[in-house]
């Protein structure tokens, strides 16, 4: 009787298909969605995904699988497969046109059709990841995308990292569904996929789906489909007990029973039973193919087998006909990896060695059979599996170079580690690869560092340093010391300054060198203590001068940024802006994107620190656009979004700030960037009295800041917000305790810009708690703290208004003039300082505090005037707690708070942001173009457009544009923009 090798009926997966369909609908509606599908080998993960994908009408299906090579995975294998399929389907130019950043050199690391990869560097991997995600998101703009990644249990570290990036960082409106399959029975306790699955499982839009075995009834349905009849009860009992409901085993058992064969006793024999019935030449070819991995190219199989195309086709045809092999693009895959594993495990030791040697020799003859870096890594695998130490070492060295070119730094590190393991087994190892052991150690330490394996990188760098004689090889010793210093710096370990200080004298100072310039600059960047500021400036200056003499524009740009930032006085900010502009010019001239971004980040930070909020916001907005054009919106772009949100918060443009924050958070930025953005959102939530939201945001930022070391610009605002949150909840004792603990642990003089706001929060908590003793201690801590620029001056005036009656510098100044301390005048001075800076919240709080002081001194009329202005500002900001305080003060003091006459509203209820959107809409911009212009998400633009249509009483964008012109809601030239 004839039987189907695979059941034509798909049974027993109704619930699982329903889960996948719900995820599909969520993604189709514009929500993020990922499904992680786990299950034991043979349980039907691939069949489930194929059935689901076949029913996904109107979706572009992208399929890639992870590839196993022994214990090694191939870097980026599923994504290389996806790119190759897209190029075949659409053509190279059409795919290239979708790549963000205007260049495909990042994706060239995965597919040579895209040209030469861009230069190695710290941003290479980030750019590759962003370009891959950006490409998929842009594909999804035309038709929704289903991205399937199979066999994630074989994924290498680079593939896992990119997979995690795609899942976590996709836009919420991307119309992208990701389905990832993996063998759950492979995940032993230390398997590297386990922590990734746990991490992704906590992401809101990720669903975990575990495939169960089939029930007895479902096995009956499967068997009936395969046999074309329902099996007898006796056969079913035997098949169900032997298969235990595993669909693959059911198929194998039924195929044997249907072919009149005795059912094998062991699983291995069961899996190989179908192979054993094939012709001898086919079985031999399958044994050969099993050594090549789960998928093997036709050309490589022909070369290893030593057969011409006709003979190869003749031998392969029975395997394909019997469904042992399936055609997969330009190669072949085993129908199930378990069949390949059983065949490979069945090889005798001699066969194993000979086959892997034949694969290695075939690849040595023509490595172009496989795409880079796959060819180099497979070659290294085969020589290693063949137990040829010499060629295993040589090929691992070459594979490391290929992996680095692909930005697969973890695989580079693995290959270099193999070189070191084999070093003592190979005579003249250094001569074989053209590099000595110290050079291998250096490269391995660098790869480990870039891959985030800091501890291993530190150990390797230290070993290399121990093996170098600085007297004989000073330059090499200097490079290694610099490397170890950088790793120690990233780890937060002591000794990084010592390493750099030991390294610099080893590089001759009598002749200019790029190495010396880089070392001087590295040391300048690492110095953060004000006690060593002169050394920082001197090193940065020398590095810049050396780079200029050598024509190294990129090094000069970095050094100029560091020198300018280290020298910058906020009170003289205009004198430093040309230097930041020059640094940007040099970075562009040197092709150094990092240098350009660093110049923009430092300039916008300096402008904000000087109180130039409008300039800071404008420059940061342009920087976000630059990052997006370059294809690094999620990394550099979200960092600059921090520098955009901060001045918007200062200016009281809180809704705009929240839009910027929301847009950046939708890109799932790195944890430190996310925490900084959430910190500003928390400030707004606190000021508006949304305590539950503030609690949630503080918890998220605390989770980040509790791990690792962070600079004062992150930690000090976090400490201030913690104090303010405790006070807002009425836990005044806790707020005072927190304030004293943070201040005692902080060197306030190291960063006055962030120390003054922390002091103010601490002083307010002490005032509210009535803790004069703690307040006096805080006043003493503030003594001698410098003030640089208008922003710090406004902070100091506020602090003095809070504490002047207790003495301190303000009280002493009043006493020395013989004039009694006047709190009303002090608060008026603070309010005026905030007004000049354009900070409405600071002004409103100072006016309110001034009104309290005025009431206390009997100046009721003056109190009413201050409260009227404060209420106007607070209403605009929707600062509910401050409005309540104003109302309470007015009630208790019996002060009438007059309202300013309101001009007739000519904006038809449109907010300032809606008017901006309307103007761009009138100019014919799409939602995506408006989002890019205003640095907000497409979803937010859509909400604004809906509000505009409702408020204007129109039904379409065209009607809105016409109405806007008729009512003069937009400038006359808006349409020409």
């Amino acid at each position: 009787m004839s039987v189907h090798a695979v059941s034509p009926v798909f049974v027993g997966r109704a619930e699982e298909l329903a889960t996948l369909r719900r995820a599909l609908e969520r993604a189709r509606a514009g929500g993020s969605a990922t499904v992680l599908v786990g299950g034991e080998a043979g349980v039907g993960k691939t069949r489930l995904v194929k059935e689901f994908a076949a029913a996904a009408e109107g979706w572009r299906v992208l399929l890639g699988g992870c590839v196993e090579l022994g214990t090694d995975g191939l870097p980026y294998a599923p994504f290389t497969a996806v790119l190759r399929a897209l190029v075949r389907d659409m053509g190279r130019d059409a795919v290239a046109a979708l790549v963000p950043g205007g260049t495909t050199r990042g994706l060239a690391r995965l597919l040579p059709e895209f040209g030469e990869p861009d230069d190695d560097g710290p941003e290479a991997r980030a750019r590759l990841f962003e370009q891959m995600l950006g490409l998929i998101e842009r594909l999804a703009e035309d038709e929704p995308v289903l991205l399937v990644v199979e066999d994630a249990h074989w994924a290498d570290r680079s593939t896992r990292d990119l997979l995690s990036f795609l899942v976590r960082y996709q836009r919420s409106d991307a119309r992208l569904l990701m389905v990832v399959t993996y063998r759950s029975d492979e995940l032993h306790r230390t398997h590297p996929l386990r922590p990734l699955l746990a991490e992704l499982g906590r992401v809101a839009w990720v669903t975990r789906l575990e495939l169960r075995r089939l029930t007895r009834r479902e096995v009956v349905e499967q068997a009936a489909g395969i046999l074309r009849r329902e099996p007898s009860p006796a056969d079913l009992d035997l098949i169900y007990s032997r298969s235990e409901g595993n669909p693959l085993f059911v198929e194998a058992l039924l195929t044997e029973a249907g072919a009149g064969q005795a059912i094998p006793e062991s699983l291995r024999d069961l899996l190989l039973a179908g192979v054993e019935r094939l012709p001898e030449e086919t079985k031999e070819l399958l044994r050969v193919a099993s050594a090549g991995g789960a998928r093997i190219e036709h050309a490589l199989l022909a070369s290893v087998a030593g057969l011409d195309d006709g003979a190869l086709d003749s031998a392969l045809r029975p395997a394909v006909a019997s469904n042992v092999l399936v055609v997969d693009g330009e190669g072949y895959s085993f129908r199930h990896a378990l069949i390949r594993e059983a065949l490979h495990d069945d090889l005798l030791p001699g066969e194993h060695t000979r086959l892997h040697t034949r694969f290695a020799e075939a690849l040595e003859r023509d490595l172009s059979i496989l795409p880079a870096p796959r060819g180099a890594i497979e070659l290294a695998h085969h020589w290693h599996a063949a137990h040829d130490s010499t060629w295993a070492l040589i090929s691992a060295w070459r594979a490391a170079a290929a992996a680095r070119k692909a930005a697969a730094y973890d695989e580079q590190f693995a290959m270099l580690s193999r070189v070191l393991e084999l070093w003592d087994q190979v005579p003249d190892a250094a001569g074989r690869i053209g590099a000595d052991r110290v050079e291998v150690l250096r490269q391995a330490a660098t790869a480990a560092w870039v891959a985030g394996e800091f501890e291993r990188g530190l150990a390797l760098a230290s070993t290399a340093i121990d093996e170098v004689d600085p007297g004989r090889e000073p330059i090499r010793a200097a490079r290694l010391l610099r490397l170890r210093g950088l790793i120690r710096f990233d780890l937060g370990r002591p000794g990084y300054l010592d390493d750099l200080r030991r390294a610099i004298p080893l590089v001759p100072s009598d002749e200019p060198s790029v190495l010396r310039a880089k070392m001087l600059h590295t040391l300048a960047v690492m110095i953060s203590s004000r006690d060593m500021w002169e050394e920082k400036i001197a090193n940065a200056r020398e590095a810049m001068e050396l780079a200029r003499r050598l024509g190294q524009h990129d090094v000069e740009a970095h050094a100029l940024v560091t020198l300018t930032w280290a020298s910058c006085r906020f009170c003289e900010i205009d004198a430093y802006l040309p230097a930041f502009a020059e640094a940007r010019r040099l970075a562009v001239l040197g092709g150094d994107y990092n240098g350009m971004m660093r110049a923009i980040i430092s300039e916008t930070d300096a402008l904000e620190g000087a109180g130039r909020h409008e300039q800071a916001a404008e420059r940061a907005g342009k920087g976000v656009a630059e990052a997006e054009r370059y294809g690094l919106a999620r990394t550099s772009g979200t960092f600059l979004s921090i520098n955009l949100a901060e001045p918007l918060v200062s200016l009281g443009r809180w809704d705009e700030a929240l839009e910027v924050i929301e847009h950046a958070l939708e890109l799932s930025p790195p944890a430190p960037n996310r925490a900084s953005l959430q910190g500003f959102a928390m400030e707004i939530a606190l000021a508006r009295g949304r305590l539950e939201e503030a609690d949630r945001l503080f918890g998220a930022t605390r989770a980040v800041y509790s791990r690792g070391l962070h600079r004062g610009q992150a930690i000090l605002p976090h400490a201030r917000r913690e104090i303010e949150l405790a006070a807002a909840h009425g836990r005044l004792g806790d707020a005072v305790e927190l304030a004293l603990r943070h201040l005692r642990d902080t060197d306030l003089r190291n960063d006055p810009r962030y120390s003054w706001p922390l002091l103010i929060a601490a002083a307010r908590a002490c005032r509210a708690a009535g803790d004069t003793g703690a307040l006096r201690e805080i006043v003493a801590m503030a003594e001698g703290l410098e003030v640089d620029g208008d922003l710090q001056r406004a902070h100091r005036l506020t602090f003095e208004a809070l504490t002047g009656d207790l003495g301190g510098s303000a009280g002493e100044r009043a006493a020395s003039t013989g004039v009694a301390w006047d709190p009303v005048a002090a608060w008026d001075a603070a309010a005026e300082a905030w007004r000049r800076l354009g900070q409405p919240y600071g002004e409103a709080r100072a006016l309110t505090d001034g009104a309290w002081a005025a009431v206390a001194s009997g100046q009721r009329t003056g109190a009413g005037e201050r409260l009227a202005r404060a209420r106007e500002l607070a209403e605009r900001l929707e600062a509910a707690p401050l409005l309540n305080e104003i109302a309470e003060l007015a009630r208790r003091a019996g002060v009438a708070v007059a309202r300013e006459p309101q001009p007739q509203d000519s904006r038809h209820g449109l907010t300032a942001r809606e008017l901006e959107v309307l103007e761009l809409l009138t100019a014919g911009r799409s939602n995506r173009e408006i989002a890019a212009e205003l640095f907000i998400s497409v979803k937010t633009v859509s909400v604004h457009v809906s509000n505009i249509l409702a408020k204007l009483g129109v039904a379409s964008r065209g009607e809105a544009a016409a109405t806007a012109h008729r009512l003069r809601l937009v400038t006359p030239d808006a349409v020409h923009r």
Side-chain angles (χ1 to χ4, degrees):
M1 176 182 290
S2 64
V3 296
H4 294 288
V6 178
S7 173
V9 180
F10 185 54
V11 300
R13 300 301 184 205
E15 290 182 12
E16 291 85 350
L17 280 173
T19 298
L20 288 167
R21 289 184 187 120
R22 284 195 296 272
L24 190 80
E25 291 308 312
R26 190 162 64 247
R28 192 197 305 273
S32 299
T34 297
V35 182
L36 307 176
V37 181
E40 66 181 5
V43 82
K45 300 180 294 296
T46 298
R47 179 74 184 270
L48 171 70
V49 170
K50 284 183 177 178
E51 294 285 339
F52 170 65
E57 294 183 11
W59 286 68
R60 177 184 287 275
V61 180
L62 305 177
L63 175 64
C66 302
V67 179
E68 180 208 23
L69 281 177
T71 58
D72 307 314
L74 284 175
Y76 306 123
F79 306 107
T80 300
V82 164
L83 283 177
R84 186 175 289 112
L86 283 173
V87 169
R88 273 200 308 266
D89 182 38
M90 302 172 61
R92 180 206 171 280
D93 292 343
V95 175
L98 295 171
V99 177
T103 173
T104 59
R105 292 177 66 195
L107 294 183
R109 297 180 183 279
L110 303 188
L111 211 61
E113 285 92 327
F114 289 119
E116 277 298 309
D118 45 12
D119 296 335
D120 293 336
E123 79 276 9
R125 183 173 161 110
R127 191 174 189 192
L128 166 63
F129 284 20
E130 291 216 24
Q131 286 195 334
M132 191 72 203
L133 179 53
L135 168 62
I136 295 170
E137 287 178 339
R138 291 187 178 184
L139 274 172
E141 291 176 4
D142 295 326
E143 56 182 334
V145 169
L146 169 60
L147 174 62
V148 179
V149 176
E150 291 206 273
D151 299 321
H153 53 280
W154 286 331
D156 60 287
R157 170 74 178 272
S158 293
T159 299
R160 293 195 303 272
D161 287 349
L162 179 49
L163 180 62
S164 175
F165 183 90
L166 296 178
V167 172
R168 294 174 61 86
Y169 291 15
Q170 60 182 274
R171 289 201 323 263
S172 62
D173 60 346
R175 298 199 305 165
L176 167 64
L177 170 61
M178 292 184 62
V179 176
V180 182
T181 72
Y182 62 93
R183 282 193 204 169
S184 53
D185 54 330
E186 292 269 346
L187 303 188
H188 52 76
R189 186 174 57 82
T190 60
H191 195 289
L193 187 64
R194 286 178 70 96
L196 175 60
L197 292 174
E199 174 191 334
L200 295 181
R202 291 190 288 268
V203 177
W205 55 84
V206 173
T207 302
R208 295 281 294 269
L209 180 61
E210 189 73 17
L211 253 62
R212 56 178 174 78
R213 295 179 179 183
L214 300 181
T215 65
R216 184 184 180 88
R217 169 50 53 192
E218 290 162 349
V219 169
V220 171
E221 292 181 52
Q222 183 187 12
I226 293 173
L227 298 174
R228 300 181 181 177
R229 62 173 174 80
E230 191 165 309
S232 68
D235 285 344
L236 181 61
D237 286 342
L238 179 61
I239 289 165
Y240 185 68
S241 64
R242 290 291 310 281
S243 69
E244 296 181 333
N246 183 296
L248 175 68
F249 303 158
V250 172
E251 290 172 1
L253 287 163
L254 286 170
T255 302
E256 292 303 297
Q261 306 292 321
I263 296 177
E265 290 297 326
S266 73
L267 173 58
R268 184 190 66 80
D269 291 340
L270 175 62
L271 292 169
L272 294 179
V275 175
E276 291 301 326
R277 291 194 302 274
L278 297 172
E280 192 57 43
E281 63 271 19
T282 302
K283 288 191 285 185
E284 174 60 27
L285 192 58
L286 289 173
R287 282 192 285 271
V288 171
S290 73
R295 184 187 187 282
I296 183 170
E297 269 71 6
H298 178 91
L300 179 57
L301 184 57
S303 179
V304 173
L307 300 174
D308 61 30
D309 284 344
L312 183 65
D313 290 344
S314 178
L316 284 172
R317 196 170 302 281
V320 173
S322 65
N323 207 33
V324 173
L325 280 185
V326 294
V327 176
D328 184 5
E330 297 176 0
Y332 308 94
S333 297
F334 285 87
R335 177 170 68 89
H336 200 285
L338 286 176
I339 299 173
R340 186 204 73 82
E341 291 167 21
L343 274 168
H344 192 253
D345 291 344
D346 205 41
L347 295 174
L348 297 173
E351 287 181 298
H352 181 278
T353 298
R354 287 193 299 274
L355 279 176
H356 283 288
T357 300
R358 284 161 61 183
F359 270 96
E361 289 172 345
L363 289 170
E364 289 280 6
R365 288 192 298 272
D366 183 10
L367 196 59
S368 66
I369 289 177
L370 298 177
R374 180 181 169 188
I377 291 175
E378 286 208 18
L379 177 59
H381 161 71
H382 289 301
W383 280 128
H384 189 62
H387 310 296
D388 188 317
S389 298
T390 298
W391 282 106
L393 178 138
I394 295 169
S395 58
W397 176 254
R398 294 172 180 168
R404 186 196 51 169
K405 192 175 183 181
Y409 302 117
D410 302 276
E411 287 65 42
Q412 180 195 6
F413 176 53
M415 291 293 105
L416 291 169
S417 297
R418 182 176 293 174
V419 172
L420 291 170
E421 290 168 10
L422 295 169
W423 193 265
D424 292 335
Q425 301 175 35
V426 179
D428 189 26
R432 297 278 187 175
I433 65 173
D436 64 12
R437 186 170 182 273
V438 171
E439 176 59 17
V440 180
L441 285 166
R442 185 193 69 80
Q443 290 197 25
T446 303
W449 172 45
V450 176
E453 298 282 353
F454 295 141
E455 294 287 358
R456 298 174 75 179
L458 182 59
L460 288 163
S462 296
T463 300
I465 288 169
D466 291 342
E467 295 187 15
V468 171
D469 180 358
R472 293 180 55 203
E473 297 181 285
I475 299 300
R476 171 179 271 194
R479 291 181 187 276
L480 289 168
L481 284 165
R482 177 177 182 264
L483 174 60
R484 188 172 70 177
L486 288 166
I487 299 172
R488 281 176 164 173
F489 181 71
D490 280 350
L491 267 173
R493 295 283 174 80
Y496 55 85
L497 293 178
D498 294 336
D499 279 341
L500 267 294
R501 286 170 176 150
R502 281 179 59 195
I504 290 171
L506 295 173
V507 183
S509 58
D510 52 351
E511 64 180 70
S513 71
V514 176
L515 178 60
R516 183 174 177 83
K518 286 183 176 180
M519 287 189 169
L520 287 164
H521 176 252
T522 301
L523 179 56
V525 170
M526 288 181 177
I527 292 174
S528 58
S529 172
R530 290 278 171 180
D531 295 341
M532 296 182 282
W533 219 244
E534 289 184 8
E535 181 185 2
K536 181 183 183 80
I537 291 173
N539 286 324
R541 181 174 286 114
E542 185 179 349
M544 185 184 71
E545 291 169 354
L546 272 176
R548 185 176 296 158
R549 289 166 62 188
L550 293 164
Q552 294 291 317
H553 301 302
D554 55 341
V555 181
E556 184 183 356
H558 278 284
L560 180 55
V561 170
T562 301
L563 176 63
T564 305
W565 176 249
S567 307
C568 183
R569 297 285 297 173
F570 294 135
C571 58
E572 301 170 352
I573 185 64
D574 289 320
Y576 298 93
L577 296 181
F580 285 123
E582 174 64 6
R584 290 200 308 274
R585 186 189 72 82
L586 289 168
V588 171
L589 198 61
D592 182 10
Y593 170 81
N594 270 350
M596 180 182 67
M597 283 291 107
R598 189 162 171 261
I600 296 172
I601 288 167
S602 296
E603 180 185 10
T604 54
D605 197 36
L607 285 166
E608 175 63 12
R612 301 281 190 85
H613 308 308
E614 291 284 1
Q615 283 179 270
E618 180 185 4
R619 190 74 201 92
K622 291 178 179 177
V624 172
E626 287 282 348
E628 191 161 323
R629 279 194 292 273
Y630 193 77
L632 284 173
R634 289 168 174 82
T635 46
S636 299
T638 55
F639 194 100
L640 271 162
S641 293
I642 299 168
N643 285 20
L644 175 56
E646 185 175 7
L648 291 175
V649 171
S650 298
L651 291 165
R653 290 157 59 180
W654 291 354
D655 291 332
E656 287 181 56
L658 289 173
E659 287 175 352
V660 169
I661 292 166
E662 178 191 10
H663 179 44
L665 291 176
E666 283 181 348
L667 298 174
S668 295
N673 296 10
R674 183 179 71 246
S676 292
L677 290 161
Q678 289 173 324
F680 290 120
M682 179 195 166
E683 288 186 18
I684 296 171
L686 268 176
R688 287 179 166 172
R690 298 168 184 170
L691 294 189
E692 286 187 9
E693 184 180 351
D695 285 334
R696 177 183 61 80
L697 290 165
F698 179 75
T701 58
R702 181 171 52 192
V704 174
Y705 292 136
S706 63
R707 301 190 302 266
L709 298 173
H710 299 273
R711 291 188 293 176
Q713 66 185 46
I715 292 300
L716 296 185
H718 180 69
R720 169 177 56 80
R721 292 165 190 147
E722 185 176 18
I723 296 166
E724 292 171 344
L725 183 61
H729 277 294
R731 295 185 282 105
L732 298 178
D734 291 344
V736 172
E737 184 180 338
L738 285 168
L740 291 175
R741 188 178 78 231
H742 287 310
L743 289 170
R744 288 166 182 166
D745 292 344
T746 301
D747 184 354
L748 297 174
R749 284 149 189 78
N750 219 31
D751 207 338
R753 172 178 170 184
Y754 298 103
S755 296
W756 281 115
L758 179 59
L759 285 164
I760 291 170
R764 285 192 181 279
C766 292
R767 279 290 188 194
D771 194 333
T772 307
L775 188 57
R776 289 188 186 281
E777 183 179 347
I778 290 168
V779 169
M781 291 178 183
E783 285 302 309
L785 186 62
E786 72 169 20
V787 171
D788 179 15
D790 293 339
L791 181 59
Q792 290 180 32
R793 178 176 172 273
H795 281 304
R796 185 180 66 180
L797 288 170
T798 302
F799 182 76
E800 290 179 341
L802 279 165
T803 64
D805 58 331
L806 296 180
S809 56
E812 289 174 3
R813 282 196 301 272
S816 65
T817 60
V819 178
W821 168 250
D822 184 355
V824 177
W827 280 117
D828 284 348
E832 177 60 16
W834 291 120
R835 187 192 67 77
R836 288 178 179 276
L837 288 167
Q839 289 207 29
Y841 189 61
E843 181 187 352
R845 290 197 71 170
L847 286 167
T848 304
D849 287 325
W852 280 106
V855 168
S857 63
Q859 302 175 38
R860 290 175 177 268
T861 303
E865 293 171 355
R866 291 177 181 86
L867 289 178
R869 171 64 178 164
R871 185 173 67 180
E872 177 190 344
L873 295 170
E875 284 177 342
R876 193 187 311 161
L877 296 168
E878 300 176 30
L882 185 56
L883 284 168
N884 291 338
E885 183 181 347
I886 291 166
E888 174 64 12
L889 173 58
R891 184 189 64 78
R892 287 171 57 181
V895 174
V897 181
R899 284 188 176 274
E900 294 289 328
Q902 298 295 314
Q904 186 176 1
D905 187 7
S906 61
R907 301 185 305 177
H908 293 266
L910 298 174
T911 66
R913 180 56 110 190
E914 288 166 352
L915 285 169
E916 286 183 297
V917 171
L918 177 59
E919 186 155 323
L920 292 169
L921 180 154
T922 304
R925 305 286 183 86
S926 67
N927 282 9
R928 184 161 299 283
E929 289 170 331
I930 295 171
E933 181 86 12
L934 300 179
F935 311 110
I936 58 179
S937 68
V938 178
K939 183 166 42 175
T940 301
V941 175
S942 178
V943 171
H944 284 317
V945 171
S946 297
N947 290 340
I948 290 167
L949 298 182
K951 289 179 180 181
L952 296 182
V954 297
S956 69
R957 298 165 73 95
E959 285 185 63
T963 302
H965 282 299
R966 178 171 56 81
L967 299 176
R968 300 180 182 273
L969 294 174
V970 296
T971 56
D973 62 341
V975 74
H976 302 300
R977 291 191 176 187

